Amino acid sequence: MAPQPASAATRKHRRSSRPLPQCLSILVLALAASGITVGSAQLSSEDYYDGSCPAALFTIRSAVATAVLLDRRMGASLLRLHFHDCFVQGCDASVLLDDTASFTGEKGAGPNAGSLRGFDVIDNIKMLLELLCPQTVSCADILAVAARDSVVQLGGPSWTVLLGRRDATTASASLANSDLPGPTSNLNALLNAFANKGLSSTDMVALSGSIRDSPTAGCFVPVSSPPSSSRAAFVPVRAGAHTVGRAQCKNCRARIYNDTDIDASFAASLRGSCPAQAGGAGDAALEPLDASSPDDFDNAYFGNLLARRGLLHSDQALFDGGATDGLVSAYASDADRWGGDFAAAMVRMGSISPLTGTDGEIRVNCRRVN
Ligand code: HEM
């Protein structure tokens, strides 16, 4: 079933340029005017664990804050973990399962092996939550909340995470290989990968990018053009996915040595740390996805694309003479529009085919079925 759009009420983020009370008044007025209903047909609102595990959200937030303090890149890694969970069988924590005799898990799949990080952080959170409220908080919900909290921790926006996901009892390496888009994808392949999950081209561009600064940064802004069939969303401006984190040389080598739609000095500087020869230790050399500010949710990513400085072939594909060029340019100059689309897309991505009700289970250990 296609993910349900939902409202994404937001909170201030670190670099707020307006006092919180003013932002809150705007939000309250806007919510009242719109008659928003938070939630989707399947997932519940963020107070889902208030009765059964009141410390759940605080516990996740604290653990994420500590993890990001120790290793700032971990914020990016946890965000990506949620994406790689949701695109394979839906947001069901299948990505966390180790291989068993009956199935080969997703950790060893092409897009994940030697690349996905953050499993230990999720294990620690789960261990704490099992002590506080046994078998109550799902691993899939932990991933969704940890992704949002990571973004906030890196200075990005916040949104309401819908809760009530349950955990899968199986995982699929082959679906991970087929359903996750790759770094050499062209625009059509990217659009198809997202369309297959019920996500639009706008969702695809918005989730990958970040925005230029805005006079309203740090405050709540209404979505200027809500996605079709969506309830209105209210989101802060400024954020993005490939505005943080790193990619390995093996994933950008072809681009920096062969692509022609790349800024020459950018390519030359990358060649210094990413050797042309495949198969050696250089394969794992790390390059920032956003060279301007690798560990902050800031406004550089779309500017990078306009300057032909996208690190991955799939990044530059968003601005390469194709159908999404206009959207990239629009986001580069209209922070509010981008902000609305980004938060709405995160809520939609987090709502891809969740297990709810009596489906699946609440795992005791995120790495194993009960
Ligand atoms: C549009 C299709 C996408 C493609 C082709 C893609 C591909 C990639 C690749 C190849 C890497 C580097 C992995 C490595 O070298 O080890 C990466 C990193 C990353 N991706 Fe994406 N990605 C896409 C969309 C997304 C989305 C939708 C999100 C989140 C909402 C996301 C979040 C991230 C983050 C945060 C990192 C850095 C992770 C880290 O440093 O640990 N990506 N992506």
Side-chain angles (χ1 to χ4, degrees), residues 73 76-77 79-80 83 115 117 181-183 190 194 204 207-208 241-242 244-248 251 289 312 314 346 349:
R73 183 185 167 203
S77 305
L79 171 61
R80 185 168 182 238
F83 165 50
S115 178
R117 306 168 77 239
L190 295 173
F194 278 66
M204 194 269 286
L207 285 173
S208 306
H242 283 185
V244 290
R246 306 289 188 280
Q248 299 174 68
N251 285 321
L289 282 157
L312 305 178
S314 55
M346 280 303 292
M349 188 184 86

Side-chain angles (χ1 to χ4, degrees), residues 262-269 271 308-309:
I262 187 167
D263 175 77
S265 63
F266 178 61
S269 71
R271 285 179 197 140
R308 312 274 176 202
R309 287 173 164 252

Side-chain angles (χ1 to χ4, degrees), residues 235-282:
V235 298
V237 294
R238 207 198 270 173
H242 283 185
T243 184
V244 290
R246 306 289 188 280
Q248 299 174 68
C249 165
K250 65 179 179 187
N251 285 321
C252 58
R253 176 181 284 121
R255 168 154 176 74
I256 65 180
Y257 284 96
N258 304 332
D259 280 4
T260 51
D261 59 348
I262 187 167
D263 175 77
S265 63
F266 178 61
S269 71
L270 288 167
R271 285 179 197 140
S273 50
C274 178
Q277 187 63 42

Side-chain angles (χ1 to χ4, degrees), residues 314-327:
S314 55
D315 286 324
Q316 197 60 56
L318 306 184
F319 186 82
D320 203 22
T324 51
D325 277 18
L327 196 54

